[in-house]
Amino acid sequence: MDLAALAAGLRYSGLAIGLWSLLSTLEWFAQLRAFAPGGLLAWDVLALRPGRLYQNDWAQKLYSPTGMIAILSVRLAAALVLLVAPGPQTALLALTATIAMSLLMALRLPVSDGADKMGMVAACGAALAAAGVLRQDWMLGFAGVLWSSGQLALAYVMSGYVKLISRGWRDGSVLLPIMSTHSQGAAWAARAVAAVPRLALPFSWLVIVTELLFPLALMLPFAGLVTVLAFFALFHFAIACIMGLNTYFWAFVATYPSVVILSTVLRRSLGLG
Amino acid sequence: MSVVGGLAVAGVVLGLGRTIAAQPRLRQWRDQILNNAGLFPQWKFYGPDPIGLDIHIVVRDRMEDGRPHAWHALLSPDVRSPWAFLWCPGKQLAATWDWYCDLILGPHLRADSPVEGYSIGYLAILRHCMTAHPRTPGASRRQFAIVHSFGREDRTLEMAFISVEHPW
């Protein structure tokens, strides 16, 4: 495995990170009113959270509505740079800006979704990979690969585990109530689950088992690994269509090049190919 | 192997270990911040027990003569656009509403303790309710309620929480 593979992986990851960040940032721009005084995310109330961090004067200025526009603008510019598939130096700059602005937002917001967390994981991993390519240091780049693919494997395994210990997931009874909500489900999906209730049980177990067994995919030959990753990408796309969680797809797909690189390294070191 | 590369790999391995340790429960606000930031994230997509309900926030004014005004819906789940797989800005705030409501109701549901009256969630929702809906002429107080709805065509409603009345 050489630096060229790292650079190629970085280009694909950068593109997906750019799309995740672009969508997420534009969606926050569409909700800018929430940051204004009296809005749902007004700083005067959120600054009451425990921690000295929130009581600083700089936080007051940075997290004003004007400050939020500045943070989102820098994040938007960095996303656009990533979308034009820049070289490693520019990519590193854009990724650093994405990470810094996402961190500032994470401190500002009371809660973040899984896509933002995975997007941040992918951005940190890609930044390390870009630094590795720039310094011609394979091991530094590999640290980024390990971070992205390790967190992805943890995300799937832990999600599978917490579902496995849930009775509702084991007997498939959680699906219909979720699909029946307006906020998380879809009318056609709820009708489908209600019409064929026997499908809920195997579907639940399909999700649990595939999430739990994801790390084994790292040992598969290239074609098998790509098939597994395509299955998970399809899974995230279906979630985007059914639940409106559109940024998850790009955030998760951004880590897949790292999984391919890690799998190749693992298989070679174990003499499997 | 370079020293920088070796240190980076060691740091990543430690970071992954820290992430595993963070999985069972986020104990402190510091853990919550690290989770939000995606540095040591907690992963549990829709597990173990996803809540199959919609949250509605309604407000009601009390007139100066003591009569209650009608409830007004301040938050109801939107009908999602068919293009939501590409563009879905509403989800960004939906997570915040869920979290605020969980701060109010969560301790009560989990431990059968009294509803948390003045958490950040309560204050944020109250502040929003006081400003986002125009004051009814002649009103002296306002209260809000969290309503849960279950299902679609055969929807059932449940009043989960009613705040005290707050003066203007």
Side-chain angles (χ1 to χ4, degrees):
Chain A
M1 212 63 196
D2 53 18
L3 286 164
L6 264 184
L10 179 62
R11 274 195 295 278
Y12 289 116
S13 288
L15 195 62
I17 292 166
L19 282 165
W20 155 71
S21 186
L22 179 74
L23 271 176
S24 162
T25 308
L26 289 177
E27 287 182 346
W28 275 118
F29 265 120
Q31 301 285 6
L32 215 49
R33 269 191 319 173
F35 297 108
L40 194 64
L41 295 165
W43 184 244
D44 54 356
V45 173
L46 287 178
L48 299 173
R49 284 175 287 178
R52 278 177 296 176
L53 189 68
Y54 298 116
Q55 275 88 50
N56 282 323
D57 286 343
W58 66 262
Q60 182 81 22
K61 287 175 187 149
L62 185 67
Y63 291 141
S64 67
T66 315
M68 282 309 295
I69 291 174
I71 290 172
L72 289 171
S73 298
V74 174
R75 199 168 182 245
L76 181 65
L80 292 173
V81 169
L82 287 171
L83 287 180
V84 297
Q89 194 163 12
T90 315
L92 182 57
L93 275 174
L95 287 163
T96 307
T98 302
I99 292 165
M101 295 307 109
S102 300
L103 271 176
L104 288 176
M105 287 185 67
L107 292 174
R108 171 71 168 83
L109 300 170
V111 66
S112 67
D113 68 11
D116 287 339
K117 289 190 274 185
M118 189 53 83
M120 187 68 167
V121 163
C124 289
L128 278 172
V133 173
L134 263 181
R135 286 173 49 97
Q136 300 286 299
D137 184 340
W138 155 251
M139 194 52 85
L140 181 57
F142 181 70
V145 166
L146 196 60
W147 178 251
S148 293
S149 44
Q151 287 289 358
L152 181 74
L154 273 178
Y156 285 142
V157 170
M158 288 312 302
S159 302
Y161 171 72
V162 294
K163 291 181 181 87
L164 183 68
I165 60 173
S166 156
R167 179 183 291 180
W169 273 99
R170 286 199 308 270
D171 64 18
S173 62
V174 296
L175 286 182
L176 185 57
I178 297 175
M179 290 299 111
S180 299
T181 62
H182 289 269
S183 52
Q184 303 171 85
W188 62 268
R191 279 196 297 271
V193 176
V196 196
R198 279 179 304 177
L199 281 182
L201 183 65
F203 182 79
S204 286
W205 276 98
L206 179 69
V207 174
I208 292 170
V209 171
T210 48
E211 284 185 338
L212 275 174
L213 297 183
F214 176 78
L216 296 181
L218 289 166
M219 296 298 153
L220 292 175
F222 181 74
L225 177 64
V226 168
T227 306
V228 170
L229 291 177
F231 169 84
F232 274 96
L234 194 65
F235 174 64
H236 290 297
F237 183 71
I239 287 174
C241 292
I242 296 170
M243 308 178 90
L245 300 175
N246 54 335
T247 45
Y248 278 71
F249 176 82
W250 298 111
F252 275 75
V253 163
T255 62
Y256 289 1
S258 291
V259 175
V260 173
I261 294 173
L262 181 65
S263 169
T264 310
V265 171
L266 272 177
R267 283 179 56 81
R268 281 190 188 166
S269 58
L270 294 171
L272 295 172
Chain B
M1 185 173 81
S2 74
V3 175
V4 174
L7 286 174
V9 169
V12 162
V13 170
L14 285 174
L16 291 172
R18 173 69 174 76
T19 304
I20 293 170
Q23 294 309 305
R25 195 170 172 191
L26 303 173
R27 295 180 189 284
Q28 299 176 356
W29 282 85
R30 190 181 51 202
D31 295 336
Q32 185 64 49
I33 290 171
L34 292 170
N35 174 48
N36 273 3
L39 296 177
F40 303 117
Q42 189 186 44
W43 304 113
K44 55 170 189 177
F45 304 113
Y46 287 88
D49 298 307
I51 302 170
L53 55 82
D54 288 311
I55 292 174
H56 308 250
I57 304 289
V58 292
V59 295
R60 178 170 75 170
D61 285 345
R62 176 79 62 182
M63 311 307 284
E64 281 166 357
D65 62 10
R67 284 180 300 115
H69 204 260
W71 287 104
H72 172 85
L74 200 66
L75 170 78
S76 293
D78 296 328
V79 175
R80 204 178 308 126
S81 148
W83 297 100
F85 69 100
L86 288 175
W87 177 252
C88 190
K91 72 173 185 299
Q92 304 285 15
L93 291 187
T96 304
W97 280 112
D98 289 353
W99 190 74
Y100 285 158
C101 290
D102 188 58
L103 280 183
I104 297 174
L105 298 169
H108 173 62
L109 294 174
R110 282 190 285 270
D112 205 24
S113 58
V115 165
E116 178 59 58
Y118 292 97
S119 62
I120 291 291
Y122 187 99
L123 294 175
I125 291 177
L126 175 64
R127 173 77 188 275
H128 188 66
C129 288
M130 297 299 266
T131 55
H133 181 61
R135 179 179 178 179
T136 308
S140 61
R141 291 166 177 272
R142 174 167 286 178
Q143 68 181 150
F144 73 88
I146 301 172
V147 180
H148 290 163
S149 69
F150 305 84
R152 282 177 175 260
E153 286 82 9
D154 54 344
R155 189 172 78 165
T156 56
L157 296 172
E158 178 186 287
M159 186 71 91
F161 173 76
I162 304 180
S163 78
V164 296
E165 293 180 352
H166 294 271
W168 288 98

